[in-house]
């Protein structure tokens, strides 16, 4: 199976090619920063259902997917979008109404689970979570686990430290690896082979990408290979992990991309208000997601003025003194 | 009412927490008022303390208040930008983790300082679903000191949590150690009524300070479990200097402090 | 215990303060690149003995320390200095003559052991090494392990995968954490608080530093804090891991520092020739290590011409067309 | 002697190995002749193959031959510079590891392709100590294909290794799988006399090709164990084009090829 050297393609093709009904997916970013929103909207537009989503704190993207009814199972550490929605609203409703099955972990556990997947080992150890209900309460039943080979047989396992009391630990908690079918991330720069450069915090994007069977990258800038190779120290994801590269400027809007644009707190608040009722949320998604053909049409709908207001200051990387209340 | 304090509840809460932060502390900060307390400590009493986020930013230069721990504002001029995995490893690692103090909030707390940020009602079909652990369970497992911000209400200071998201002293005594956890958990609770601490032997919460104008009874009637208030005294209110720095240098737009 | 904000000090003070007879140490770099040679020479000059050294492939520094008789125990993956000495010569002699106790691991195992130390867990899992003598042959006996609390009770442990056949692994090999008393690394840039920037490959330096109780950093350039903070994405070790910062230009010579200077293959070959007999090696160390007061005197002895010959080309980061045979 | 080949043993070895590398392979390269083979493949038959080092450099632009896998020459214009931990994870990870072919050398090999790079004699007091595993044990544990370079001598092609550093087929049959290893190990051995491969069922080494001017007997007399030579045929010698590219574009200074 030869890997093509040029992996660029339109986003709708990449989603169609790699994200299927029932796929296990993960998305990059954290709460209100660098969520792969263009990819999320495209999944919604293509009406892909029954997705199994692995998330640490993937706020804005997660709530859109849940609100659109794309998700049936969720493994998660945190669902919030910062000040705009301290708890993701469609997420909370869906869990309360038992519309999705949800299993809880911590942010470190989820990070380690992706890291285990990236490393190719079945689990990683941690000293987090002893005595908590995260350890004892499972969101997926034993029978569900047995019937689905894509779900691990146990949520978490505690073992005695086989090295005595080495590192002052008597017990160790093991978290199982995640290897998603597809991971969707949004980065600042990528080349056509798929090598990626993330600017600012990487969250768990690198681990999520490396753990995944396929990776769809959307990027602010599609650059020449030579451009990225002028400083290999800044490139975190080499091309061999990546399946598709889609050039989507402002592809994380309305979440922030460090050095490019800030989050749009007005828009996020509007979505938060709409999320409070099913009807309002449907109207919102009808207008802003289903009502447009692609991300560029969506951005037209938002309008140049809003986009200009959130443009990043080149020195600080965010929009200085932007109105945020 | 000439004793009415010249500060809001959020202001005194922020100052009470800031005072607990020592110079050279590495301050793990959650969102909202936690960030403000960390910023205030740095500007008031602990100039060499360092603000640190679970998302991987160490010693961020906060020129504006971030709205989340992933806000681009925390990435600017940090000592290093890394990842979730790196940030939590720094806390799990005893050599560095022991230098960290955490500041965070919760939806429910019990007498042992265990926290719930997951749900109210049954886990499988909750009445109210909250965001979940985030890094809370990790931090309370790893670091020796933690300040928890709470609204002081009976349904939040409960006898039994609906879900134990983040471990405090579990069931008190040596139960935390026996479960496999290192010493740690919530050590200070700061509410709109007072400041609570934990007995070293029993692991139980007791009232340490009540704010000017607040009585022990106010606190007891807003706490579902039986709390020891016998050692309590009145808190020193925020000074003019503290309030001035908080209002003018930390949150001039009152984004967190509110009106 | 307050940590000072200014951690700069002369190298001989840092070594005196943190490296003691019997200390467990690790050194950064790999074969002929970025070994902390100035620090290694200073340990030799201070005649510190009975050291326990953890190494993956720390070539040049390792062989000097062993040749000077500073090391009594060694946990290692590889002892070679590239083309100059495919096997470290004093190392081979010392093992053959049973002058040091040596326990073998692989490069990944050693990397994971440092990573476990950095993460604060007692072990990490891998699928490497099943069926090998690395698993079955221990360099340290059970009785030595029992008598020394600083040595882990077991070399390696194999367990059944507690998550069934998850990640297609039936068994998992666990490697125990390392937490050295002191790690010595040489970096391109550091500030006075100890934040470090490594340019080019980091090898296992980051994990070694983060696993260690104390870290001594030597640096090519001691820069203002503001300088490093202009791009936090390039700084791998934040200050809180570091105990001492020592400004030692060319502190990795005769090994290479990417972007600054190349390895000196003539000098390494000369050391390799001397290493073939105990007498010649003693004469060599008498002249170049004991015969000088510090690294700067050592560099004077090498001479400006040699140093000029290995200066890095600013574009490629190494000395282009340097005579290397 | 007009059949005397117009190439040196090192040259034919390099070319034989290079031919095994396919386009788009990720080539894990050890030092010395391994690097040269990887470079030659890229310039001759597999232009889109990628050179990759255990030290963390992916797709290095090799304008000069590196002298070690940590040589600064491998850091220039790579796709990414990372760490040992990252590089080995890429190989342990099945999704990416299955794309890798390793090229390395050893001091001893047995009939099952197990390698010794640790010592001759007893492990506790060896007669000759070698550098040790390095990444050898890891790579042979992880990746599906591996080319091993060897000098063909009786004391190097042995019945029993003094120390099993890196796992091949262990004791053949399903012993590799049973030990916990994924499929992999040495798949091709390239020596100064010929090219060996391994029987899929028994896991035993057999002679595939002998070089022009070399007989099966030459090979058998330089091999301590009993090797099947019944399937062997003469290797196609290096072409003029292959030799020209190797000599002029890969190692014009003959740093690795030697005189």
């Amino acid at each position: 199976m030869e890997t093509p050297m040029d992996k660029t393609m339109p986003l709708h093709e990449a989603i169609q090619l790699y994200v299927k009904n029932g796929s296990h997916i993960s998305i990059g970013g954290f709460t209100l920063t660098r969520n792969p929103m263009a990819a999320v909207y495209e999944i919604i537009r293509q009406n892909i259902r029954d997705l199994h989503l692995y998330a640490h704190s993937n706020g804005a993207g997660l709530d859109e997917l849940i609100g659109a009814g794309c998700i049936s199972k969720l493994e998660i550490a945190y669902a919030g979008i910062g000040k705009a929605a301290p708890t993701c609203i469609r997420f909370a409703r869906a869990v309360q109404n038992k519309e999705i099955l949800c299993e809880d972990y911590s942010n470190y556990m989820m990070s380690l689970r992706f890291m285990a997947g990236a490393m190719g080992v079945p689990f990683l150890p941690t000293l987090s979570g002893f005595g908590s209900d995260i350890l004892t309460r499972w969101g997926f039943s034993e029978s569900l686990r047995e019937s689905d080979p894509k779900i691990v047989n146990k949520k978490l396992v505690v073992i005695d430290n086989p090295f005595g009391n080495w590192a002052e630990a008597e017990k160790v908690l093991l978290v199982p690896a995640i290897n998603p079918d597809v991971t969707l991330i949004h980065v600042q720069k990528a080349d056509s082979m798929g090598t990626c450069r993330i600017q600012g915090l990487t969250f768990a994007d690198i681990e999520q990408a490396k753990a995944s069977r396929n990776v769809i990258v959307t990027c602010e800038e599609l650059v020449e290979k030579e451009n990225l190779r002028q400083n290999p120290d800044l490139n975190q994801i080499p091309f061999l992990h990546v399946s598709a590269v889609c050039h989507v400027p402002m592809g994380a809007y309305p979440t922030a991309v460090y050095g490019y644009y800030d989050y749009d707190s007005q828009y996020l608040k509007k979505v938060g208000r709409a999320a409070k009722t099913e009807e309002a949320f449907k109207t919102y998604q009808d207008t802003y997601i289903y009502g447009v053909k692609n991300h560029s049409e969506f951005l037209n709908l938002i309008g140049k003025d809003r986009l200009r207001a959130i443009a990043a200051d080149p020195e600080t990387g965010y929009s200085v003194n932007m109105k945020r209340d | 009412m000439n004793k009415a304090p010249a500060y809001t509840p959020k202001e005194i809460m922020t100052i009470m927490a800031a005072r607990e932060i020592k110079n050279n502390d590495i301050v793990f900060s959650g969102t909202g008022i936690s960030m403000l307390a960390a910023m205030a400590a740095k500007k008031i009493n602990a100039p060499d303390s360092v603000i640190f986020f679970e998302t991987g930013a160490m010693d961020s230069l906060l020129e504006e208040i971030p709205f989340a721990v992933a806000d681009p504002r925390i990435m600017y001029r940090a000592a290093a930008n890394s990842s979730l995995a790196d940030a939590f490893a720094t806390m799990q690692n005893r050599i560095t983790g022991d230098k960290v103090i955490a500041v965070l909030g919760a939806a429910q707390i019990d007498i042992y300082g265990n926290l719930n940020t997951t749900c109210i009602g049954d886990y499988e079909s909750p009445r109210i679903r909250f965001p979940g652990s985030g890094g809370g369970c990790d931090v309370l497992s790893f670091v020796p000191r933690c300040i928890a911000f709470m609204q002081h209400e009976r349904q939040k200071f409960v006898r039994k949590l609906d879900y134990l998201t983040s471990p405090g002293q579990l069931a008190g005594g040596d139960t935390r150690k026996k479960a496999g956890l290192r010493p740690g958990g919530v050590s200070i609770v700061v509410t709109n009524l007072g400041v609570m601490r934990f007995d070293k032997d029993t692991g139980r919460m007791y009232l340490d300070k009540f704010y000017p104008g607040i009585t022990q009874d106010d606190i007891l009637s807003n706490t579902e479990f039986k709390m020891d208030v016998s050692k309590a005294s009145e808190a020193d209110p925020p000074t003019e200097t503290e309030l001035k720095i908080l209002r003018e240098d930390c949150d001039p737009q009152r984004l967190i402090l509110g009106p």
Side-chain angles (χ1 to χ4, degrees), chain A, chain B:
Chain A
M1 28 149 228
E2 289 229 344
T3 323
M5 301 298 279
D6 184 346
K7 299 170 185 162
T8 55
M9 63 181 82
L11 178 57
H12 70 270
E13 276 180 32
I15 298 292
Q16 205 162 13
L17 207 52
Y18 295 109
V19 188
K20 308 289 182 189
N21 290 338
S23 285
H24 286 224
I25 72 168
S26 83
I27 58 177
F30 195 103
T31 59
L32 41 65
T33 287
R34 236 173 13 71
N35 279 230
M37 297 308 292
V40 160
Y41 297 146
E42 185 57 31
I43 289 174
I44 294 171
R45 263 192 300 272
Q46 292 191 16
N47 196 27
I48 303 171
R49 318 303 281 187
D50 193 28
L51 295 173
H52 186 122
L53 179 65
Y54 303 103
H56 44 84
S57 297
N58 311 90
L62 170 130
D63 218 33
E64 293 282 2
L65 284 170
I66 292 176
C70 302
I71 308 291
S72 63
K73 292 192 217 71
L74 179 63
E75 302 185 32
I76 197 177
Y78 185 85
I81 323 182
K83 222 180 161 240
T87 301
C88 288
I89 298 165
R90 296 320 303 167
F91 155 80
R93 292 296 159 86
V95 175
Q96 289 159 201
N97 298 339
K98 302 182 85 167
E99 290 158 5
I100 57 174
L101 266 186
C102 174
E103 184 159 272
D104 278 83
Y105 296 85
S106 71
N107 266 341
Y108 190 39
M109 290 176 194
M110 289 305 290
S111 305
L112 288 173
R113 296 183 66 197
F114 290 121
M115 199 197 270
M119 291 168 70
V121 288
F123 61 81
L124 280 173
T126 176
L127 306 180
S128 175
F130 296 115
S132 74
D133 283 339
I134 293 177
L135 175 57
T136 51
R137 306 293 297 272
W138 295 10
F140 304 152
S141 67
E142 278 192 67
S143 61
L144 172 64
R145 289 171 187 280
E146 269 165 38
S147 68
D148 187 343
K150 286 174 85 173
I151 301 180
V152 62
N153 63 343
K154 289 169 188 157
K155 185 187 183 191
L156 298 163
V157 167
V158 174
I159 62 166
D160 288 336
N161 181 354
F163 295 97
N165 198 31
W166 194 240
E168 296 171 57
E170 283 177 28
K171 295 177 195 178
V172 180
L173 191 146
L174 307 181
V175 300
I178 294 172
N179 289 110
D181 294 318
V182 198
T183 286
L184 308 113
I185 61 171
H186 183 76
V187 306
Q188 279 89 346
K189 285 183 182 165
D191 67 20
S192 61
M193 285 174 79
T195 296
C196 298
R197 177 173 299 177
I198 296 171
Q199 198 179 325
L201 298 170
T202 58
F203 309 126
D205 283 35
I206 302 168
E207 293 83 358
Q208 288 173 262
K210 291 185 174 180
S212 198
R213 284 177 192 88
N214 288 292
V215 177
I216 299 174
V217 171
T218 57
C219 57
E220 290 298 323
E221 293 187 62
L222 182 66
V223 299
E224 290 297 315
K225 176 177 150 179
E226 276 315 301
N227 177 315
L228 292 184
R229 298 207 172 197
Q230 270 160 37
N231 195 347
D233 300 6
L234 286 170
N235 307 333
Q236 302 95 344
I237 304 174
F239 54 87
L240 78 162
H241 302 280
V242 172
S243 312
V245 179
C246 312
H247 184 210
V248 187
M250 301 207 74
Y253 177 88
T255 68
V257 172
Y258 188 65
Y260 288 73
Y261 45 92
D262 220 317
Y263 44 85
D264 186 343
S265 40
Q266 285 182 15
Y267 186 85
L268 288 170
K269 238 182 263 175
K270 186 168 71 178
V271 177
R273 274 194 303 272
K276 282 178 183 156
T277 69
E278 201 135 346
E279 299 66 38
F281 195 71
K282 192 178 172 315
T283 308
Y284 149 71
Q285 286 200 334
D286 278 347
T287 310
Y288 288 95
I289 301 178
Y290 298 107
V292 298
K293 264 220 306 266
N294 53 38
H295 204 66
S296 145
E297 277 196 12
F298 167 64
L299 295 173
N300 285 341
L301 209 56
I302 301 300
K304 287 219 170 65
D305 287 353
R306 277 310 298 150
L307 302 186
R308 213 175 288 125
I310 62 166
D313 164 58
E315 163 62 18
T316 60
Y318 54 85
S319 173
V320 175
N321 290 325
M322 178 176 79
K323 205 174 163 319
R324 289 190 290 157
D325 52 350
Chain B
M1 288 285 280
N2 63 345
K3 269 196 157 184
Y7 45 80
T8 68
K10 275 206 176 155
E11 285 173 340
I12 189 171
M13 288 171 77
T14 311
I15 297 297
M16 289 294 141
R19 287 178 184 170
E20 299 293 332
I21 294 168
K22 299 191 186 69
N23 215 14
N24 286 100
D25 273 351
I26 311 291
V27 186
F28 169 98
S29 171
T31 35
I33 191 169
S34 304
M35 279 178 190
L36 194 58
M39 286 170 82
K42 209 168 153 59
K43 293 198 195 253
I44 297 170
N45 51 297
D48 293 341
S49 63
V50 164
I51 305 181
F52 162 56
F53 296 98
E54 62 181 303
T55 42
M58 175 61 72
D59 200 17
S60 310
L61 175 65
L62 298 181
E63 296 199 331
E64 295 188 8
I65 289 183
F67 270 12
V69 296
D71 194 304
R73 283 154 190 77
I74 73 165
M75 306 182 196
Y76 177 54
R77 301 244 162 169
N81 281 334
S82 63
S83 64
L84 297 181
D86 280 349
F88 287 111
T90 298
M91 292 185 283
Q92 189 172 225
N93 177 331
R94 258 201 132 104
I95 303 158
T96 43
D98 279 353
K99 301 173 184 170
V100 177
I101 179 169
V103 193
L104 43 72
Q108 277 186 335
I109 191 167
D110 69 13
I111 195 167
Y112 294 111
N114 303 303
L115 302 180
N116 174 14
T117 54
T118 303
C119 60
I120 300 291
D122 184 50
Y123 177 60
E124 276 84 19
S125 52
R127 214 151 28 83
I128 307 172
R129 172 69 210 209
F130 298 122
S133 160
C137 175
D138 307 312
V139 174
L140 286 205
S141 297
F142 298 150
V143 312
R145 290 182 298 148
C146 174
I147 302 171
F149 280 113
M150 297 284 303
Q151 282 301 306
H152 215 134
E153 299 166 15
R154 274 186 84 82
Q155 66 269 39
K156 295 189 173 180
F157 278 65
V158 296
R159 272 199 207 98
K160 185 162 173 28
L161 301 177
D162 289 84
Y163 185 98
L164 197 165
T165 315
S166 303
Q169 304 312 317
L170 296 183
D174 63 353
T175 52
R176 184 178 165 98
K177 187 178 185 310
K178 274 196 172 156
L181 293 162
R182 61 172 62 172
V186 176
S187 43
I188 302 147
V189 185
V190 176
T191 77
N192 48 319
L193 302 180
V195 176
M196 273 61 58
R197 293 178 193 273
F198 293 83
D199 184 87
K200 279 215 168 58
D201 296 324
T202 64
R204 286 205 195 94
M205 195 190 297
Y206 67 87
L207 183 65
D208 181 37
K209 299 283 176 193
F210 45 87
Y211 299 153
I214 305 292
T215 66
Q216 280 107 313
D217 272 353
D218 291 337
I219 285 166
L220 286 174
S221 65
N222 283 291
T223 305
E224 194 191 57
F225 54 80
K226 221 174 115 87
M227 183 156 60
D228 178 7
V229 297
S230 66
K231 291 172 245 175
S233 59
E234 189 171 284
D236 291 336
T239 65
E240 285 306 318
T241 312
E242 286 170 330
L243 286 169
K244 188 171 150 55
I245 294 172
L246 177 63
R247 290 166 183 168
E248 293 176 13
D249 297 348
C250 298
D251 189 11
Q253 296 181 269
R254 299 192 76 83
L255 289 169
I256 306 290
L257 289 173

